[in-house]
């Protein structure tokens, strides 16, 4: 049984890498981990590669890392989400269960994706001209290059490790995984990939966009679960983490889910109302979490659940 693990380009030394914790967690399940890396040729070449990859693997682990290019989601509107929903599924726009932390999501909450940066021609032009800057920071345990420093639009001024090739590969791979019911687990960026691939959107920066004042970029050690999340009862995530201190999570991200793709529902909320987990009802295993369970011993059952779904 083979589980493919996506990688991140370490721009400081031009190596494709993945944190060893991901590999270890997959190996602990008895599955064979292999790395899925982008190839030269841009997004189109990587979209073509994905069809071969999908035939080789039994499951996919979408890992953390840099930001998805905003062009892949910024023109999605609430109308697009409504149009893609069946009438009986409209409640998925507001999936927060009673007792969940934070703000219940309502359609009106989603009309603007950023209090400072509405989608307009200025934003579209800026997105089309995102350029590299020289600033390097540590993200998800790796040194990456920030794309910031060149724009007057605040939420574009800190995009991290944007990669056309990685976006092309992972977004197409997530769509195929959903369509073919290939078990998929998304971690941090990986959760965002699952949402964007199926038609959802992201907040480009949670604090700059005015969504939360809470700091979601904790320092090491990442095994320190310093935040709490409310897991929605009855979800697949709740079943997987039952009895495993599921409410304690770590936090290493600056973006988050905004509009939820129509086929998905929220399975966990942060204390500040941020979406911390998503899943696809009716699929065998198509699930994402915003935190990093690879560092948390109590959350190893997530990786076991992925492996079990591959065996089913």
């Amino acid at each position: 049984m083979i589980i493919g693990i996506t990688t991140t380009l370490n721009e400081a030394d031009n190596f494709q890498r993945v944190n060893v914790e991901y590999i270890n967690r997959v190996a602990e399940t008895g599955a064979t981990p292999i790395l899925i890396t982008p190839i030269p040729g841009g997004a189109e070449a990587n979209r073509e590669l994905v069809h071969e990859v999908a035939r080789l693997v039994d499951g996919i682990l979408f890992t953390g890392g840099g930001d998805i290019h905003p062009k892949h989601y910024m023109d999605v509107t609430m109308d697009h989400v409504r149009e893609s929903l069946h009438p009986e599924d409209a409640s998925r726009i507001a999936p927060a269960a009673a007792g969940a932390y934070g703000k219940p999501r309502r359609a009106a909450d989603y009309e603007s994706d950023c209090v400072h940066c509405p989608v307009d021609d200025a934003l579209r032009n800026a997105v089309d001209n995102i350029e590299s800057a020289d600033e390097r920071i540590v993200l998800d345990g790796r040194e990456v290059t920030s794309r910031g420093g060149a724009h007057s639009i605040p939420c574009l001024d800190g995009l991290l490790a944007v990669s056309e090739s990685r976006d092309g590969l992972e977004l197409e791979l997530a769509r195929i995984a959903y369509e073919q019911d290939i078990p998929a687990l998304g971690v941090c960026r990986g959760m965002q990939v699952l949402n964007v691939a199926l038609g959802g959107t992201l907040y480009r920066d949670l604090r700059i966009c005015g969504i939360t004042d809470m700091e979601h970029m904790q320092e090491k050690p990442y095994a320190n679960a310093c935040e709490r999340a409310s897991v929605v009862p009855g979800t697949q995530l709740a079943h997987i983490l039952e009895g495993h201190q599921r409410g304690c999570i770590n936090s290493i991200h600056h973006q988050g889910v905004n509009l939820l793709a129509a086929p998905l529902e929220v399975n966990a909320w942060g204390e500040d109302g941020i979406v911390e987990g998503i899943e696809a009802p009716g699929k065998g295993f198509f699930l994402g979490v915003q935190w990093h369970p690879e560092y948390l011993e109590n959350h190893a059952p997530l990786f076991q659940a992925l492996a079990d779904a591959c065996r089913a």
Side-chain angles (χ1 to χ4, degrees):
M1 180 180 57
I2 297 173
I3 293 179
I5 304 174
T6 61
T7 64
T8 293
L9 176 65
N10 185 335
E11 295 175 308
D13 55 18
N14 212 32
F15 275 69
Q16 287 283 350
R17 292 184 177 175
V18 66
N19 286 359
V20 70
E21 286 83 2
Y22 292 117
I23 297 171
N24 292 346
R25 291 298 183 192
V26 169
E28 287 167 0
T29 71
T32 300
I34 66 170
L35 302 187
I36 304 173
T37 68
I39 61 173
E44 186 56 37
N46 281 279
R47 282 191 287 266
E48 293 176 5
L49 170 69
V50 160
H51 296 275
E52 184 64 27
V53 169
R55 288 192 287 267
L56 294 174
V57 300
D58 301 294
I60 306 160
L61 173 56
F62 293 91
T63 64
D67 298 333
I68 301 168
H69 197 296
K71 69 182 178 182
H72 293 296
Y73 59 81
M74 74 172 201
D75 282 326
V76 176
T77 67
M78 195 65 220
D79 288 338
H80 290 127
V81 174
R82 290 194 186 99
E83 289 168 3
S84 65
L85 284 168
H86 296 295
E88 64 271 21
D89 292 334
S91 62
R92 290 189 187 173
I93 296 175
Y101 291 125
K103 306 177 287 292
R105 265 28 182 193
R106 300 286 181 250
D109 294 337
Y110 287 124
E111 296 301 336
S112 174
D113 68 343
C114 176
V115 295
H116 302 298
C117 312
V119 175
D120 56 18
D121 288 341
L123 178 58
R124 289 188 181 92
N125 291 337
V127 164
D128 288 340
N129 293 286
I130 289 175
E131 298 177 354
S132 299
D134 293 332
E135 181 184 4
R136 289 179 176 175
I137 68 168
V138 174
L139 177 69
D140 191 26
R142 291 176 287 269
E143 190 175 74
V144 301
T145 302
S146 170
R147 305 288 172 169
H151 302 292
S152 59
I153 297 177
C155 65
L156 294 181
D157 203 31
L159 294 179
L160 304 172
V162 175
S163 168
E164 178 184 3
S165 295
R166 186 179 185 187
D167 287 349
L169 185 150
E170 293 188 3
L171 292 172
E172 184 71 8
L173 188 57
R175 283 188 284 267
I176 290 176
Y178 180 82
E179 292 167 1
Q180 298 183 9
D181 213 358
I182 300 171
L185 173 62
V187 172
C188 198
R189 169 198 159 94
M191 183 189 89
Q192 297 166 11
V193 165
L194 302 186
N195 186 52
V196 172
L198 299 187
T201 74
L202 306 177
Y203 292 117
R204 292 175 292 275
D205 188 284
L206 291 170
R207 299 187 75 179
I208 293 174
C209 289
I211 308 307
T212 181
D213 291 327
M214 192 169 175
E215 179 57 66
H216 284 275
M217 291 286 285
Q218 76 175 65
E219 301 292 334
K220 292 182 178 181
Y222 300 138
N224 178 21
C226 58
E227 292 187 18
R228 295 193 62 81
S230 175
V231 178
V232 178
T235 59
Q236 190 175 28
L237 179 67
H239 175 72
I240 292 168
L241 293 184
E242 188 66 43
H244 293 278
Q245 298 181 19
R246 66 191 190 199
C248 301
I249 62 173
N250 51 20
S251 189
I252 320 166
H253 65 104
H254 77 110
Q255 296 191 324
V257 166
N258 177 13
L259 287 175
L260 187 68
L264 304 174
E265 63 181 30
V266 176
N267 56 27
W269 298 90
E271 293 179 272
D272 54 354
I274 298 302
V275 174
E276 289 286 356
I278 59 177
E279 60 188 58
K283 292 294 180 179
F285 192 90
F286 192 88
L287 185 150
V289 294
Q290 187 60 70
W291 65 92
H292 282 264
E294 70 274 17
Y295 293 110
L296 304 176
E297 192 64 38
N298 289 329
H299 288 191
L302 272 169
F303 300 92
Q304 188 62 56
L306 171 63
D308 291 345
C310 295
R311 295 186 180 99

